[in-house]
């Protein structure tokens, strides 16, 4: 991977969720519900809503380029062996899908991978991404692993700083 990318890793066994409980409380107080795609129902309409949310939020990622078509998204993200709807955290404001934190299952390699965390513009700067990632840490435990990995374009400083605040550290892997 080139020097354009920052690789980060979190040890879920030492993650101090209590430090971030205020973010979860803030969501609840604002009427934002956190759930997973598994709990919502991994249905075609929910997959379409997830795609639309992911596409909208991905537009702001430095170096992202053109987003997948829906069919490409299904093939690359949903039909992939690493997909598990229990790893897809969704933030709901009533019926509005306002954020997602998708983590894939790579337990055979000893980790889970945070694919995407995104929040729609009107909901940003309220701690929703931190809340979703905190809520989603349990997915690593469901998979029986302690490592959570993620990669960011080096110019995506907001995401990198958020992950470091959560305890992610620079990492190297192949």
């Amino acid at each position: 991977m080139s020097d354009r990318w920052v690789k980060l890793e979190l040890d879920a066994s030492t993650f101090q969720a209590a430090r971030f409980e205020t973010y979860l409380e803030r969501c609840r107080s604002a009427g934002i519900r956190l759930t997973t795609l598994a709990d919502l129902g991994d249905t075609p309409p929910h997959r379409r809503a997830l795609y639309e949310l992911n596409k909208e939020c991905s537009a702001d990622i430095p170096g992202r380029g053109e987003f997948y078509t829906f069919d490409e998204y299904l093939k690359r993200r949903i039909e992939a062996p690493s997909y598990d709807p229990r790893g897809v955290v969704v933030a709901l404001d009533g019926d509005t899908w306002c954020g997602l934190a998708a983590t894939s299952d790579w337990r055979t390699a000893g980790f889970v991978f945070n694919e995407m965390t995104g929040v729609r513009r009107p909901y940003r700067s309220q701690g929703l991404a931190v809340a979703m990632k905190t809520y989603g840490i349990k997915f690593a435990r469901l998979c029986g692993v302690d490592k959570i990995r993620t990669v960011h374009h080096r110019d995506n400083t907001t995401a990198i700083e958020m992950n470091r605040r959560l305890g992610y550290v620079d990492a190297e892997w192949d």
Side-chain angles (χ1 to χ4, degrees), residues 103-107 110-114 137 139-141 143 145-150:
T103 305
S104 56
D105 179 355
W106 293 89
R107 77 178 84 182
F111 63 92
V112 295
F113 190 85
N114 184 238
I137 296 289
F139 181 65
R141 293 183 188 109
C143 293
V145 298
D146 291 329
K147 283 188 228 164
I148 303 172
R149 292 179 172 171
T150 194

Side-chain angles (χ1 to χ4, degrees), residues 60-90:
D60 295 330
I61 297 174
R64 172 62 178 91
E66 188 79 20
F67 197 72
Y68 311 118
T69 65
F70 181 63
D71 289 338
E72 289 170 330
Y73 183 80
L74 289 176
K75 183 178 277 187
R76 290 177 182 239
R77 297 288 187 201
I78 305 296
E79 296 167 4
S82 59
Y83 170 75
D84 186 327
R86 298 175 305 169
V88 180
V89 176
V90 178

Side-chain angles (χ1 to χ4, degrees), residues 51-173:
Y51 167 77
E52 295 298 336
L53 176 60
N54 199 331
K55 181 179 180 180
E56 181 180 327
C57 294
S58 292
D60 295 330
I61 297 174
R64 172 62 178 91
E66 188 79 20
F67 197 72
Y68 311 118
T69 65
F70 181 63
D71 289 338
E72 289 170 330
Y73 183 80
L74 289 176
K75 183 178 277 187
R76 290 177 182 239
R77 297 288 187 201
I78 305 296
E79 296 167 4
S82 59
Y83 170 75
D84 186 327
R86 298 175 305 169
V88 180
V89 176
V90 178
L92 299 167
D93 183 5
D95 292 333
T96 301
W97 292 47
C98 51
L100 78 135
T103 305
S104 56
D105 179 355
W106 293 89
R107 77 178 84 182
T108 57
F111 63 92
V112 295
F113 190 85
N114 184 238
E115 301 282 349
M116 170 65 180
T117 302
V119 177
R120 286 200 157 113
R121 283 183 185 268
Y123 295 91
R124 291 183 185 167
S125 299
Q126 300 173 36
L128 187 52
V130 171
M132 289 187 301
K133 289 188 80 123
T134 298
Y135 186 90
I137 296 289
K138 64 184 171 189
F139 181 65
R141 293 183 188 109
L142 287 172
C143 293
V145 298
D146 291 329
K147 283 188 228 164
I148 303 172
R149 292 179 172 171
T150 194
V151 174
H152 295 287
H153 188 283
R154 72 170 180 244
D155 294 336
N156 197 353
T157 56
T158 301
I160 294 166
E161 289 169 9
M162 174 198 55
N163 280 312
R164 287 193 171 132
R165 189 174 44 220
L166 287 163
Y168 283 76
V169 296
D170 291 315
E172 288 299 322
W173 65 79

